[in-house]
């Protein structure tokens, strides 16, 4: 018993997917489902040849999609392609074209049949998810309180910049910064004021940076770290003094400090031109040791590793 073609036609035209068929020899549409007009605005009878299909693909997608589909079809390989289809009113809709290659008994391509699916909402959701992922990644590398880089971002930056310095034989400077007597500040003024002070100091330190490669990160509770490529030892010491002065100039009252009546910082500095096989941890360790000496010798001062 022959299947009822009218039943199949009804089934095809009742689905949201848009069925179509192209005769390979003529490259003309043998059939396009009427649903296409509701989606794209183009009447079924306006889809005459593959040229009509190609010219209704967004210009930025056209060449890649057409070349891919033609190559796959010639090879007799079923395939699918996502692209932006241009609507009759000049807007665009994201389409997924799923294509089946029909072959003759001798193996030659006879026709292409397939379905167009409207995937606009899916693409919007994918774009939004990608945007959210980027936001989450950015947040995961930022300190929630001060909005400078966090320890995780600093560790990654040190690894990258250290490798660059080894490859290019260029110096790299690291500044370990500690707010003097911050525990006493918190105990006296309270944690709300302590958080405000941390934010002010972080903003001030970050404002001293001049290049995209400079990094300022919160390393611990009241400890910050800065990574600057390309400084000589003399430039690094001048920069460290600028950091110290910038925080000093904020004049944040600190009645419990043993060095000043306002908030100050101590800075340990190390500048190195790393050798092959060395590690960034060395730079960090030496800068931390310099910071320890700065605090031991009275605070509110800079201490170079050299």
């Amino acid at each position: 018993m022959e299947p009822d073609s009218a039943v199949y036609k009804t089934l095809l035209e009742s689905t949201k997917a848009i069925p179509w068929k192209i005769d390979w020899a003529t490259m003309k549409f043998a059939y396009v489902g009427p649903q296409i007009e509701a989606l794209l605005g183009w009447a079924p009878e306006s889809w005459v040849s593959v040229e009509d299909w190609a010219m209704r693909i967004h210009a930025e997608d056209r060449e890649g999609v057409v070349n891919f589909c033609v190559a796959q079809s010639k090879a007799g390989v079923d395939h699918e392609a996502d692209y932006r289809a241009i609507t009759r009113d000049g807007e665009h809709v994201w389409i997924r074209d799923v294509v089946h290659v029909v072959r003759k008994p001798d193996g030659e391509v006879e026709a292409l049949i397939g379905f167009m699916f409207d995937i606009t909402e899916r693409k919007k959701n994918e774009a939004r998810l990608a945007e959210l992922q980027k936001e989450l990644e950015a947040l995961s590398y930022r300190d929630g309180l001060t909005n400078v880089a966090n320890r995780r971002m600093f560790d990654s930056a040190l690894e990258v910049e250290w490798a660059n310095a080894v490859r290019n034989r260029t110096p790299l400077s690291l500044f370990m910064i500690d707010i003097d007597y911050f525990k006493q500040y918190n105990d006296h003024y309270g944690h709300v004021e302590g958080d405000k002070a941390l934010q002010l100091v972080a903003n001030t330190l970050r404002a001293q940076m001049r290049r995209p490669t400079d990094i300022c990160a919160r390393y611990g509770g009241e400890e910050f770290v800065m990574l600057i490529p390309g400084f000589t030892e003399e430039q690094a010491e001048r920069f460290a003094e600028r950091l110290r002065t910038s925080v000093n100039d904020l004049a944040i009252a600190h009645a419990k400090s043993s060095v000043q009546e306002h908030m100050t910082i101590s800075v340990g500095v190390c500048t190195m031109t790393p050798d092959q096989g060395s590690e960034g941890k060395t730079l960090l360790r030496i800068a931390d040791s310099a910071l320890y000496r700065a605090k031991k010798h009275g605070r509110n001062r800079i201490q170079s590793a050299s």
Side-chain angles (χ1 to χ4, degrees), residues 42-61:
W42 305 101
E45 56 269 21
S46 72
W47 297 80
V48 178
S49 71
V50 291
E51 285 296 318
D52 298 307
W53 166 72
M55 295 311 297
R56 290 167 184 174
I57 296 176
H58 194 288
E60 293 177 4
D61 303 339

Side-chain angles (χ1 to χ4, degrees), residues 53-94:
W53 166 72
M55 295 311 297
R56 290 167 184 174
I57 296 176
H58 194 288
E60 293 177 4
D61 303 339
R62 186 178 300 137
E63 184 177 0
V65 170
V66 171
N67 289 345
F68 170 75
C69 290
V70 169
Q72 295 296 97
S73 299
K74 283 181 177 178
V77 178
D78 293 349
H79 55 280
E80 57 184 56
D82 293 355
Y83 57 86
R84 290 166 291 177
I86 302 169
T87 65
R88 191 172 183 181
D89 60 7
E91 299 298 319
H92 72 263
V93 173
W94 272 101

Side-chain angles (χ1 to χ4, degrees), residues 177-205 221-224 243-266 299-301:
I177 304 150
D178 190 73
I179 300 177
D180 297 325
Y181 299 109
F182 187 73
K183 181 182 183 302
Q184 290 83 343
Y185 184 92
N186 259 343
D187 291 344
H188 183 68
Y189 295 99
H191 288 281
V192 172
E193 290 302 313
D195 286 351
K196 288 180 182 177
L198 284 171
Q199 290 167 340
L200 283 170
V201 170
N203 287 338
T204 299
L205 296 175
E222 70 272 18
E223 199 168 43
F224 295 88
L243 295 177
R244 190 196 67 79
T245 303
S246 69
V247 173
N248 192 69
D249 291 347
L250 289 173
I252 301 171
H254 189 349
K256 296 300 179 179
S257 171
S258 299
V259 290
Q260 291 282 358
E261 293 181 351
H262 53 263
M263 187 168 286
T264 58
I265 60 172
S266 298
R299 307 187 190 234
N300 186 27
R301 57 179 291 154

Side-chain angles (χ1 to χ4, degrees), residues 131-151:
E131 186 179 317
L132 286 172
Q133 183 63 30
K134 286 179 68 176
E135 290 175 9
L136 286 172
E137 286 177 2
L139 287 172
S140 72
Y141 283 103
R142 292 283 161 194
D143 177 61
L145 176 64
T146 63
N147 205 36
V148 296
N150 61 15
R151 176 78 172 267

